[in-house]
Every structure is written in C-alpha cells, then in structure tokens.
Amino acid sequence: MSPAGSELATIVSALVGAVIAMRRSRRAQRTITKLDALALRKPLNKVPVAVLGGLLGALTFDRFGFSLEMFAYGLMIAMCIEQSIIDYKTHRLPRGVTFRAAIVGGPPLALAAINHDDNGRIGVMFASFIITLVLFALLAASSRGGIGGGDVRLAPVLAMFLGWLGASHVYIGLGSGFILGGVVAAGMLITRRASTSTRIAFGPFLCIGAVIATLLV
C-alpha cells in the first residue's frame, strides 16, 4: 500500500473506531440504566469515548492492517470499552457482552491462524482461556468479593484473544491489569478516597491491560 493509501486507511480506521465507540457507549448507557438507574445521574459524555475509539481504531489498523485479526481485535477493544463503562458505573459485567465477543471474535482468529499455517496459535488460545478461567475462579473463591463473577468470565475471554498473540501477551495483559488495579486502589486508600471495604471495579483494569498488550507490545 502506498504512503497516501496507508494514511487514508488510518483515517478511515480512526473514524470507524470513533463511530463504534460511540455506539458502544450508547449501548452501555442503556445497560447501566437497566441495571441501576441511579448509577447514571447524567448522560455519558461521548466525546472522550469517540476520541479514544478513534485512536484505538488507528492503532489497531497500524498493528494488524486490513485482516481477520483487525476485525477480531477491534471487536475485543469495542467490548472492552463497553464493559469498562458499565463496570465503572455499576460494578457489573454483563455476561452477554463478554460472551458475544468470544463467540464472534474467536473464529476469525482461528481462521487467521490457519491462513498463517500456524495452528499452534489455536492451542495457545484454548489453553490460555482454560488456565485463566481456573485461576480466576480460584481467586474469586478466596478473595471474599474482591473478584466477582463478571471478572471470572471476562479474564478468560481476554486471555483467549491475547493467547493468539502469544503466551507472553497473556502474562503482560493480565499482569498489567493487576498492577494498574493495585496502584489505583493503593492511591485511593492513601488519599482516603476509599477504605478497605470499598468495592473497586476491576474489569476496566483488565481491559486496559489487554489493550496495552495487544497494541503496544
């Protein structure tokens, strides 16, 4: 692709990312209202979400080009935007949003692995999903509410996507989520904006870690 064509494709990807992010934010707003009307006292400001979506759309194109991978990881990122908004407002992660990303995003990655003649990626995806599911189920059972059922469903799906890129991306993505969550929680405790009993949404940090591992590693 020529430099001019690449620049145009990047702009188009950014615009598509912005539109998708806005649509996801509207859907998140409807979901929040259904789950807890009091959690959304005023409409969401969609401009920052659109800007973020545009940036991530451009980065996704830059990372994968026009490919099955771009479609799959664009879907993962769109899911992350929607779930982060919902979890931040309600401390809930609707299973339908998570499962749709896995069901729709998994097959294109499997096809991409076959096209690349690298079927081992499919095995890493599956193993990453199962191992992360077991690990988070154990963490949820021992954390006394620190990790909820939504996190137990979200983390394996993110690990599945990251597993296609390699096991190291799973470690970096999920590890970054834990580190970011821990730093924010510690900061809130130090500044007395939260106590040891305060519930902190963990889903957004998992999503941020996964996006970082996908686009920047």
Side-chain angles (χ1 to χ4, degrees), residues 37-81:
L38 295 178
L40 194 63
R41 294 181 175 84
K42 59 181 180 179
L44 293 170
N45 185 350
K46 298 180 180 62
V47 174
V49 178
V51 172
L52 176 63
L55 174 62
L56 293 176
L59 289 174
T60 304
F61 170 75
D62 183 65
R63 176 75 167 82
F64 300 106
F66 284 122
S67 62
L68 289 168
E69 297 96 307
M70 180 183 177
F71 170 79
Y73 287 103
L75 181 65
M76 183 201 80
I77 291 169
M79 181 268 288
C80 284
I81 291 173

Short mmCIF file of all heavy atoms in Angstrom, two decimals, residues 37-81:
data_model
loop_
_atom_site.label_atom_id
_atom_site.label_comp_id
_atom_site.label_asym_id
_atom_site.label_seq_id
_atom_site.Cartn_x
_atom_site.Cartn_y
_atom_site.Cartn_z
N ALA A 37 -30.55 2.47 37.65
CA ALA A 37 -30.90 3.79 37.12
C ALA A 37 -30.19 4.91 37.88
O ALA A 37 -29.86 5.95 37.31
CB ALA A 37 -32.40 3.99 37.16
N LEU A 38 -29.94 4.71 39.18
CA LEU A 38 -29.31 5.74 39.98
C LEU A 38 -27.82 5.89 39.67
O LEU A 38 -27.21 6.90 40.01
CB LEU A 38 -29.48 5.43 41.47
CG LEU A 38 -30.92 5.46 41.99
CD1 LEU A 38 -30.94 5.09 43.48
CD2 LEU A 38 -31.56 6.82 41.77
N ALA A 39 -27.22 4.86 39.03
CA ALA A 39 -25.79 4.92 38.74
C ALA A 39 -25.48 5.90 37.61
O ALA A 39 -24.35 6.32 37.44
CB ALA A 39 -25.27 3.53 38.36
N LEU A 40 -26.49 6.29 36.84
CA LEU A 40 -26.28 7.19 35.71
C LEU A 40 -27.15 8.42 35.90
O LEU A 40 -28.24 8.53 35.35
CB LEU A 40 -26.62 6.48 34.40
CG LEU A 40 -26.14 7.16 33.11
CD1 LEU A 40 -24.61 7.22 33.08
CD2 LEU A 40 -26.66 6.43 31.90
N ARG A 41 -26.66 9.35 36.71
CA ARG A 41 -27.45 10.53 37.06
C ARG A 41 -27.47 11.56 35.92
O ARG A 41 -28.33 12.41 35.87
CB ARG A 41 -26.89 11.16 38.33
CG ARG A 41 -27.07 10.27 39.57
CD ARG A 41 -26.53 10.93 40.83
NE ARG A 41 -26.81 10.13 42.00
CZ ARG A 41 -26.06 9.11 42.42
NH1 ARG A 41 -24.98 8.78 41.72
NH2 ARG A 41 -26.37 8.43 43.50
N LYS A 42 -26.48 11.48 35.02
CA LYS A 42 -26.48 12.35 33.85
C LYS A 42 -25.92 11.56 32.67
O LYS A 42 -25.17 10.60 32.85
CB LYS A 42 -25.64 13.60 34.11
CG LYS A 42 -24.19 13.33 34.47
CD LYS A 42 -23.46 14.64 34.72
CE LYS A 42 -22.00 14.38 35.08
NZ LYS A 42 -21.27 15.65 35.31
N PRO A 43 -26.29 11.96 31.44
CA PRO A 43 -25.83 11.21 30.27
C PRO A 43 -24.31 11.16 30.18
O PRO A 43 -23.61 12.09 30.61
CB PRO A 43 -26.44 12.00 29.10
CG PRO A 43 -27.59 12.75 29.70
CD PRO A 43 -27.18 13.07 31.10
N LEU A 44 -23.82 10.07 29.61
CA LEU A 44 -22.38 9.94 29.43
C LEU A 44 -21.88 10.97 28.42
O LEU A 44 -22.55 11.28 27.43
CB LEU A 44 -22.04 8.54 28.91
CG LEU A 44 -22.30 7.37 29.87
CD1 LEU A 44 -22.13 6.05 29.11
CD2 LEU A 44 -21.34 7.42 31.05
N ASN A 45 -20.68 11.49 28.66
CA ASN A 45 -20.03 12.38 27.70
C ASN A 45 -19.37 11.50 26.64
O ASN A 45 -18.35 10.85 26.90
CB ASN A 45 -19.00 13.25 28.41
CG ASN A 45 -18.38 14.27 27.47
OD1 ASN A 45 -18.59 14.22 26.25
ND2 ASN A 45 -17.62 15.20 28.02
N LYS A 46 -19.94 11.47 25.46
CA LYS A 46 -19.47 10.55 24.43
C LYS A 46 -18.27 11.06 23.65
O LYS A 46 -17.65 10.30 22.91
CB LYS A 46 -20.62 10.22 23.47
CG LYS A 46 -21.79 9.52 24.15
CD LYS A 46 -22.89 9.20 23.16
CE LYS A 46 -24.07 8.51 23.85
NZ LYS A 46 -24.70 9.37 24.87
N VAL A 47 -17.93 12.34 23.79
CA VAL A 47 -16.81 12.89 23.03
C VAL A 47 -15.49 12.21 23.41
O VAL A 47 -14.74 11.76 22.53
CB VAL A 47 -16.72 14.42 23.21
CG1 VAL A 47 -15.46 14.95 22.53
CG2 VAL A 47 -17.95 15.09 22.63
N PRO A 48 -15.14 12.11 24.71
CA PRO A 48 -13.90 11.41 25.05
C PRO A 48 -13.89 9.96 24.60
O PRO A 48 -12.85 9.44 24.18
CB PRO A 48 -13.84 11.51 26.59
CG PRO A 48 -14.72 12.65 26.94
CD PRO A 48 -15.80 12.65 25.92
N VAL A 49 -15.05 9.31 24.66
CA VAL A 49 -15.15 7.92 24.22
C VAL A 49 -14.88 7.82 22.72
O VAL A 49 -14.18 6.93 22.25
CB VAL A 49 -16.53 7.34 24.56
CG1 VAL A 49 -16.64 5.89 24.06
CG2 VAL A 49 -16.79 7.39 26.05
N ALA A 50 -15.45 8.77 21.94
CA ALA A 50 -15.23 8.78 20.50
C ALA A 50 -13.76 9.03 20.16
O ALA A 50 -13.20 8.39 19.26
CB ALA A 50 -16.12 9.84 19.84
N VAL A 51 -13.13 9.95 20.87
CA VAL A 51 -11.71 10.23 20.65
C VAL A 51 -10.86 9.00 20.95
O VAL A 51 -9.96 8.63 20.19
CB VAL A 51 -11.26 11.43 21.50
CG1 VAL A 51 -9.73 11.60 21.41
CG2 VAL A 51 -11.95 12.70 21.05
N LEU A 52 -11.18 8.36 22.07
CA LEU A 52 -10.46 7.14 22.43
C LEU A 52 -10.67 6.05 21.38
O LEU A 52 -9.72 5.38 20.96
CB LEU A 52 -10.93 6.64 23.80
CG LEU A 52 -10.35 5.31 24.28
CD1 LEU A 52 -8.85 5.41 24.45
CD2 LEU A 52 -11.01 4.87 25.58
N GLY A 53 -11.91 5.89 20.94
CA GLY A 53 -12.21 4.89 19.91
C GLY A 53 -11.46 5.17 18.62
O GLY A 53 -10.96 4.24 17.97
N GLY A 54 -11.39 6.44 18.24
CA GLY A 54 -10.65 6.80 17.04
C GLY A 54 -9.18 6.47 17.15
O GLY A 54 -8.57 5.93 16.21
N LEU A 55 -8.59 6.79 18.28
CA LEU A 55 -7.17 6.48 18.50
C LEU A 55 -6.92 4.98 18.46
O LEU A 55 -5.98 4.50 17.80
CB LEU A 55 -6.73 7.05 19.85
CG LEU A 55 -5.30 6.70 20.30
CD1 LEU A 55 -4.28 7.24 19.31
CD2 LEU A 55 -5.04 7.23 21.70
N LEU A 56 -7.78 4.22 19.14
CA LEU A 56 -7.61 2.77 19.17
C LEU A 56 -7.86 2.15 17.80
O LEU A 56 -7.21 1.17 17.43
CB LEU A 56 -8.54 2.16 20.22
CG LEU A 56 -8.22 2.53 21.67
CD1 LEU A 56 -9.27 1.94 22.61
CD2 LEU A 56 -6.83 2.06 22.07
N GLY A 57 -8.81 2.72 17.03
CA GLY A 57 -9.05 2.23 15.68
C GLY A 57 -7.83 2.40 14.80
O GLY A 57 -7.45 1.49 14.05
N ALA A 58 -7.20 3.57 14.90
CA ALA A 58 -5.99 3.82 14.11
C ALA A 58 -4.86 2.90 14.53
O ALA A 58 -4.13 2.36 13.68
CB ALA A 58 -5.57 5.29 14.26
N LEU A 59 -4.70 2.70 15.83
CA LEU A 59 -3.64 1.82 16.32
C LEU A 59 -3.88 0.37 15.92
O LEU A 59 -2.93 -0.37 15.63
CB LEU A 59 -3.53 1.94 17.84
CG LEU A 59 -2.95 3.24 18.38
CD1 LEU A 59 -3.06 3.27 19.91
CD2 LEU A 59 -1.50 3.41 17.95
N THR A 60 -5.15 -0.03 15.90
CA THR A 60 -5.48 -1.40 15.50
C THR A 60 -5.13 -1.64 14.04
O THR A 60 -4.57 -2.68 13.67
CB THR A 60 -6.96 -1.71 15.75
OG1 THR A 60 -7.27 -1.46 17.12
CG2 THR A 60 -7.28 -3.17 15.43
N PHE A 61 -5.44 -0.67 13.19
CA PHE A 61 -5.06 -0.80 11.78
C PHE A 61 -3.55 -0.83 11.63
O PHE A 61 -2.99 -1.62 10.86
CB PHE A 61 -5.64 0.35 10.96
CG PHE A 61 -5.08 0.40 9.56
CD1 PHE A 61 -5.50 -0.51 8.61
CD2 PHE A 61 -4.12 1.35 9.23
CE1 PHE A 61 -4.96 -0.49 7.33
CE2 PHE A 61 -3.58 1.38 7.95
CZ PHE A 61 -4.00 0.46 7.00
N ASP A 62 -2.87 0.04 12.36
CA ASP A 62 -1.41 0.09 12.27
C ASP A 62 -0.78 -1.22 12.71
O ASP A 62 0.25 -1.64 12.17
CB ASP A 62 -0.88 1.24 13.14
CG ASP A 62 0.63 1.40 13.04
OD1 ASP A 62 1.10 1.74 11.94
OD2 ASP A 62 1.33 1.16 14.05
N ARG A 63 -1.42 -1.89 13.67
CA ARG A 63 -0.88 -3.15 14.20
C ARG A 63 -1.18 -4.33 13.29
O ARG A 63 -0.30 -5.18 13.07
CB ARG A 63 -1.49 -3.40 15.59
CG ARG A 63 -1.10 -4.72 16.25
CD ARG A 63 0.31 -4.69 16.78
NE ARG A 63 0.56 -5.81 17.64
CZ ARG A 63 0.88 -7.05 17.22
NH1 ARG A 63 0.97 -7.29 15.93
NH2 ARG A 63 1.09 -8.02 18.08
N PHE A 64 -2.38 -4.39 12.73
CA PHE A 64 -2.80 -5.59 12.01
C PHE A 64 -3.11 -5.38 10.52
O PHE A 64 -3.22 -6.37 9.80
CB PHE A 64 -4.05 -6.19 12.68
CG PHE A 64 -3.83 -6.59 14.11
CD1 PHE A 64 -4.37 -5.85 15.15
CD2 PHE A 64 -3.09 -7.72 14.41
CE1 PHE A 64 -4.17 -6.22 16.47
CE2 PHE A 64 -2.89 -8.10 15.74
CZ PHE A 64 -3.43 -7.35 16.77
N GLY A 65 -3.25 -4.12 10.08
CA GLY A 65 -3.68 -3.90 8.71
C GLY A 65 -5.11 -4.39 8.52
O GLY A 65 -5.78 -4.76 9.49
N PHE A 66 -5.59 -4.37 7.27
CA PHE A 66 -6.93 -4.90 6.99
C PHE A 66 -6.83 -6.42 6.96
O PHE A 66 -6.29 -7.00 6.02
CB PHE A 66 -7.48 -4.37 5.67
CG PHE A 66 -7.94 -2.95 5.75
CD1 PHE A 66 -7.42 -1.98 4.92
CD2 PHE A 66 -8.92 -2.57 6.66
CE1 PHE A 66 -7.85 -0.67 5.00
CE2 PHE A 66 -9.35 -1.26 6.74
CZ PHE A 66 -8.82 -0.31 5.92
N SER A 67 -7.34 -7.07 7.98
CA SER A 67 -7.16 -8.51 8.12
C SER A 67 -8.22 -9.07 9.06
O SER A 67 -8.97 -8.32 9.71
CB SER A 67 -5.77 -8.82 8.69
OG SER A 67 -5.63 -8.25 9.98
N LEU A 68 -8.28 -10.39 9.15
CA LEU A 68 -9.14 -11.04 10.12
C LEU A 68 -8.76 -10.64 11.54
O LEU A 68 -9.62 -10.47 12.41
CB LEU A 68 -9.04 -12.56 9.97
CG LEU A 68 -9.67 -13.16 8.71
CD1 LEU A 68 -9.25 -14.61 8.55
CD2 LEU A 68 -11.19 -13.06 8.76
N GLU A 69 -7.47 -10.48 11.76
CA GLU A 69 -7.01 -10.09 13.10
C GLU A 69 -7.52 -8.70 13.48
O GLU A 69 -7.92 -8.46 14.62
CB GLU A 69 -5.47 -10.10 13.16
CG GLU A 69 -4.85 -11.46 12.96
CD GLU A 69 -4.43 -11.68 11.50
OE1 GLU A 69 -5.27 -11.50 10.60
OE2 GLU A 69 -3.26 -12.02 11.29
N MET A 70 -7.53 -7.79 12.51
CA MET A 70 -8.04 -6.45 12.80
C MET A 70 -9.50 -6.51 13.21
O MET A 70 -9.92 -5.83 14.17
CB MET A 70 -7.87 -5.54 11.57
CG MET A 70 -8.39 -4.13 11.80
SD MET A 70 -8.26 -3.10 10.32
CE MET A 70 -9.02 -1.57 10.93
N PHE A 71 -10.29 -7.31 12.50
CA PHE A 71 -11.70 -7.45 12.85
C PHE A 71 -11.85 -8.01 14.26
O PHE A 71 -12.62 -7.50 15.08
CB PHE A 71 -12.40 -8.36 11.85
CG PHE A 71 -13.80 -8.74 12.26
CD1 PHE A 71 -14.85 -7.87 12.10
CD2 PHE A 71 -14.05 -9.98 12.83
CE1 PHE A 71 -16.14 -8.21 12.49
CE2 PHE A 71 -15.32 -10.34 13.23
CZ PHE A 71 -16.37 -9.46 13.05
N ALA A 72 -11.11 -9.09 14.57
CA ALA A 72 -11.25 -9.76 15.86
C ALA A 72 -10.81 -8.85 17.01
O ALA A 72 -11.52 -8.73 18.02
CB ALA A 72 -10.43 -11.05 15.87
N TYR A 73 -9.66 -8.22 16.86
CA TYR A 73 -9.18 -7.38 17.97
C TYR A 73 -9.94 -6.06 18.06
O TYR A 73 -10.06 -5.49 19.15
CB TYR A 73 -7.67 -7.15 17.83
CG TYR A 73 -6.90 -8.40 18.18
CD1 TYR A 73 -6.35 -9.20 17.20
CD2 TYR A 73 -6.79 -8.81 19.51
CE1 TYR A 73 -5.69 -10.38 17.51
CE2 TYR A 73 -6.12 -9.98 19.84
CZ TYR A 73 -5.58 -10.75 18.83
OH TYR A 73 -4.93 -11.92 19.16
N GLY A 74 -10.47 -5.58 16.94
CA GLY A 74 -11.37 -4.44 17.01
C GLY A 74 -12.60 -4.76 17.83
O GLY A 74 -13.09 -3.95 18.62
N LEU A 75 -13.09 -6.00 17.65
CA LEU A 75 -14.24 -6.45 18.44
C LEU A 75 -13.89 -6.55 19.92
O LEU A 75 -14.67 -6.14 20.79
CB LEU A 75 -14.72 -7.81 17.92
CG LEU A 75 -15.93 -8.43 18.61
CD1 LEU A 75 -17.16 -7.58 18.39
CD2 LEU A 75 -16.17 -9.84 18.08
N MET A 76 -12.70 -7.08 20.21
CA MET A 76 -12.28 -7.17 21.61
C MET A 76 -12.20 -5.78 22.25
O MET A 76 -12.65 -5.56 23.37
CB MET A 76 -10.91 -7.85 21.71
CG MET A 76 -10.43 -8.06 23.14
SD MET A 76 -8.62 -8.29 23.31
CE MET A 76 -8.06 -6.57 23.22
N ILE A 77 -11.62 -4.83 21.51
CA ILE A 77 -11.46 -3.48 22.05
C ILE A 77 -12.81 -2.81 22.24
O ILE A 77 -13.05 -2.12 23.25
CB ILE A 77 -10.55 -2.66 21.12
CG1 ILE A 77 -9.12 -3.21 21.18
CG2 ILE A 77 -10.57 -1.18 21.51
CD1 ILE A 77 -8.21 -2.66 20.11
N ALA A 78 -13.73 -3.01 21.29
CA ALA A 78 -15.08 -2.45 21.44
C ALA A 78 -15.77 -3.03 22.67
O ALA A 78 -16.44 -2.30 23.42
CB ALA A 78 -15.90 -2.75 20.18
N MET A 79 -15.60 -4.33 22.88
CA MET A 79 -16.16 -4.96 24.08
C MET A 79 -15.55 -4.36 25.34
O MET A 79 -16.24 -4.10 26.34
CB MET A 79 -15.93 -6.46 24.04
CG MET A 79 -16.47 -7.25 25.22
SD MET A 79 -15.26 -7.45 26.56
CE MET A 79 -14.13 -8.64 25.83
N CYS A 80 -14.24 -4.12 25.31
CA CYS A 80 -13.56 -3.55 26.48
C CYS A 80 -14.10 -2.15 26.81
O CYS A 80 -14.27 -1.80 27.98
CB CYS A 80 -12.06 -3.49 26.22
SG CYS A 80 -11.20 -5.08 26.36
N ILE A 81 -14.35 -1.35 25.78
CA ILE A 81 -14.89 -0.01 26.01
C ILE A 81 -16.26 -0.10 26.68
O ILE A 81 -16.53 0.57 27.69
CB ILE A 81 -14.98 0.76 24.68
CG1 ILE A 81 -13.58 1.10 24.17
CG2 ILE A 81 -15.81 2.04 24.86
CD1 ILE A 81 -13.56 1.71 22.78
#
